[in-house]
Amino acid sequence: MKRFFILFLFVTNFSFSQSEELLQDLGYLIDDALFFSDKYITPATDAAVYQSSSAWVTSAKKRKLWDVTLGINSNFFFVPNRDREFKINNSDFSLLTIDGATSATVPTSLGNDYQVDLIGDLDSEQIRIETPRGIDQNIVFYPHLYGAVSVWYGTEVLVKYSPKVNLKKSQYQVYGFGLKHNISQYFKSLETRKINLSTSLSYSNEDVSFDFLDVQTNYGNLGINQISGLVDTFQFQINASKEYKNVEFLGGIIANVSDFKYQLTGPKGAIEETIPLQKLLNQRLEEIYKTKTNFMGEISGRYQFSKIYVQTTIAFGKFVNSNVSVQYEF
């Protein structure tokens, strides 16, 4: 009843008898889109946390004042099988049903490109919707830029940025900043043995977008053909390293807290002339906002060629994420 009342408040161009059925059907469609959104995009936003959390610390040792490191990172995320699909049943939906079946297995945003038809009646008109495809990749690759500036007292300012990268059927962008502080400088015995300890605090923002539900009706496109996951992550990290001539081996423990928000970001449909459907859907998406805590490990090796460094990093926990970086120090 509340859903119907909120929709009704926005209707100005229909008579009551015309709009009542449409509003009720739109309410049911919103419920169905909300259910499907959560199942479809959540695996991708969970994965985005691992992609943004890796390779913040290139070295645990103390650097000289105003030393600068610039790097190009190539990130490789391994898509696990368990997060590639989910099951739907007709009982999960209010308006829609699976065409020719009572249940089906469909891909998440990290899954394959298999599609199932969903059908339903919207204001006495049959609509047909193809379930969205996944990225259909075993490994997701994206590049980003990295920078660090050493300031006072063994502290570094860290920056990470990537432009919006077009992946298969999706887009990804990350940016963030942080602080790293060297701890081993307070223990001369560790410095003598070339053992380094550091801590870091960082913040990152991830934006991942996917093609979603393309719904064509007598009222035009409904404007829900793209969905975005917006993730804010605060991270604490402890690293230890050991130097052997031109090589530094690092190990780290990461703890982070991420806030997940979801938003429909595609072009608005013609129905917006009567009902601000996309706005209403985005308000309902607030019901699936989440906050999650992750713990993960990280290992890496860094090799020096003069002022050029090559580093490989692997972060592991629920997911596995690897990173290959080329850096220049000056």
Side-chain angles (χ1 to χ4, degrees), residues 203-272:
Y203 162 81
S204 61
N205 176 275
E206 305 91 50
D207 183 348
V208 56
S209 301
F210 293 89
D211 295 341
F212 196 44
L213 300 175
D214 185 12
V215 187
Q216 300 291 337
T217 72
N218 287 337
Y219 306 98
N221 188 287
L222 295 188
I224 56 176
N225 55 350
Q226 186 179 70
I227 189 168
S228 297
L230 309 173
V231 187
D232 290 312
T233 299
F234 293 88
Q235 178 165 305
F236 174 73
Q237 185 168 346
I238 299 175
N239 275 85
S241 75
K242 172 67 176 176
E243 297 176 73
Y244 297 94
K245 295 183 179 180
N246 293 339
V247 180
E248 183 179 7
F249 295 102
L250 294 90
I253 298 174
I254 297 170
N256 57 38
V257 177
S258 301
D259 291 324
F260 298 81
K261 298 181 180 180
Y262 307 96
Q263 188 174 14
L264 292 165
T265 52
K268 293 182 179 180
I271 199 171
E272 298 285 333

Side-chain angles (χ1 to χ4, degrees), residues 59-61 190-196 240-251 300-305 309-310:
S59 172
K61 65 184 180 181
L190 294 179
E191 288 191 322
T192 301
R193 296 157 59 189
K194 292 191 174 182
I195 296 176
N196 309 292
S241 75
K242 172 67 176 176
E243 297 176 73
Y244 297 94
K245 295 183 179 180
N246 293 339
V247 180
E248 183 179 7
F249 295 102
L250 294 90
S300 68
R302 190 173 190 247
Y303 188 84
Q304 179 182 4
F305 302 90
Y309 295 79
V310 177

